[in-house]
Amino acid sequence: MIKTTMIAVRHGETVWNTEKRYQGQLDSELTRIGKMQSEAVAIALAEQSPLWDGDFTALYSSDLGRAVNTARYIEQMLDIPLQQDPRLREIRLGTLQGQTRDAIRNEQPEMRKNLDRWDYAPPQGESKVERYLRTTACMLDLFERHQGETFIVVTHGGVLDGFLRYALRIPLSDNRRFSIFNGSINVISRIDGNMKLESWGIVHHLKDMTVIDGEKI
């Protein structure tokens, strides 16, 4: 039996998270809480857990700043070199990036309605299906590359949504009924080619910190 484990982390809270702005592939700085969350994730991963043995062989992140800055805390704590992979980026939202959700809801209600569709791509953007195919291909590549090992990925809410759907075979058309918190730790393994959800939404390391659920778009 060959078991490969992926520890998937959502980046720390950003300024645009708190302002409820669509980030997409633009960037926003981590807030003070976001930096605290990132440090807490690093400390948690350095501790022994029934879900991981601490023998991590690789650390990857999206190349967007909020993911990289979160991953740097892990890199320093665990002394594992960070590798950035653009396939782990959040969805590209084109002209919506930087705008608030309230503004889009009030000023472009038809576009906001379309965002619920998995096949819809906003102007200059990509669809959820395109993101799903891009990011799950990356995930499977990393599982192949690290067979029998445990590796860490720092990425985004929408990417993690796709990882869970792939692991549990949840149709893309189904509404999301699970949370994806900033600074959460999620564990997915592959055993002899079969995906298994080990744990989801671990946040005990965040203690009394504020946590924001991922954008449901």
Side-chain angles (χ1 to χ4, degrees), residues 105-167:
R105 185 180 299 109
N106 296 331
E107 299 168 16
Q108 303 181 64
E110 190 62 30
M111 180 176 288
R112 180 61 194 88
K113 182 178 179 181
N114 284 332
L115 285 173
D116 291 329
R117 293 168 35 203
W118 276 79
D119 61 347
Y120 175 75
Q124 301 174 35
E126 66 180 336
S127 69
K128 293 179 183 179
V129 171
E130 291 173 308
R131 176 187 61 193
Y132 177 82
L133 294 174
R134 164 171 55 83
T135 57
T136 54
C138 178
M139 176 182 68
L140 294 175
D141 176 47
L142 296 180
F143 269 111
E144 283 294 317
R145 193 181 305 177
H146 296 285
Q147 288 190 58
E149 303 172 3
T150 301
F151 63 95
I152 303 168
V153 168
V154 181
T155 186
H156 308 269
V159 179
L160 292 172
D161 178 293
F163 286 178
L164 180 62
R165 289 175 186 274
Y166 186 94

Side-chain angles (χ1 to χ4, degrees), residues 160-176:
L160 292 172
D161 178 293
F163 286 178
L164 180 62
R165 289 175 186 274
Y166 186 94
L168 298 184
R169 301 178 182 177
I170 300 173
L172 300 184
S173 57
D174 283 8
N175 291 330
R176 175 155 75 86

Side-chain angles (χ1 to χ4, degrees), residues 48-100:
Q48 290 295 314
S49 167
L51 293 169
W52 57 82
D53 58 12
D55 186 20
F56 304 111
T57 57
L59 169 63
Y60 297 90
S61 83
S62 154
D63 63 346
L64 298 179
R66 57 193 186 272
V68 172
N69 291 335
T70 298
R72 291 296 184 199
Y73 286 85
I74 301 171
E75 178 183 43
Q76 293 172 14
M77 179 66 68
L78 302 181
D79 194 27
I80 304 174
L82 174 61
Q83 303 176 64
Q84 299 177 34
D85 194 321
R87 295 177 297 173
L88 293 168
R89 287 182 178 186
E90 184 54 281
I91 191 170
R92 186 177 70 254
L93 288 173
T95 58
L96 299 186
Q97 295 177 158
Q99 298 192 56
T100 66

Side-chain angles (χ1 to χ4, degrees), residues 1-5 143 188-198:
M1 181 180 73
I2 299 176
K3 180 178 181 179
T4 307
T5 301
F143 269 111
I188 297 174
S189 65
R190 190 173 73 168
I191 303 172
D192 291 339
N194 297 311
M195 305 296 286
K196 178 183 178 183
L197 178 66
E198 301 283 356

Side-chain angles (χ1 to χ4, degrees), residues 174-191:
D174 283 8
N175 291 330
R176 175 155 75 86
R177 295 187 295 275
F178 49 89
S179 295
I180 309 172
F181 294 114
N182 287 118
S184 61
I185 299 173
N186 311 279
V187 185
I188 297 174
S189 65
R190 190 173 73 168
I191 303 172

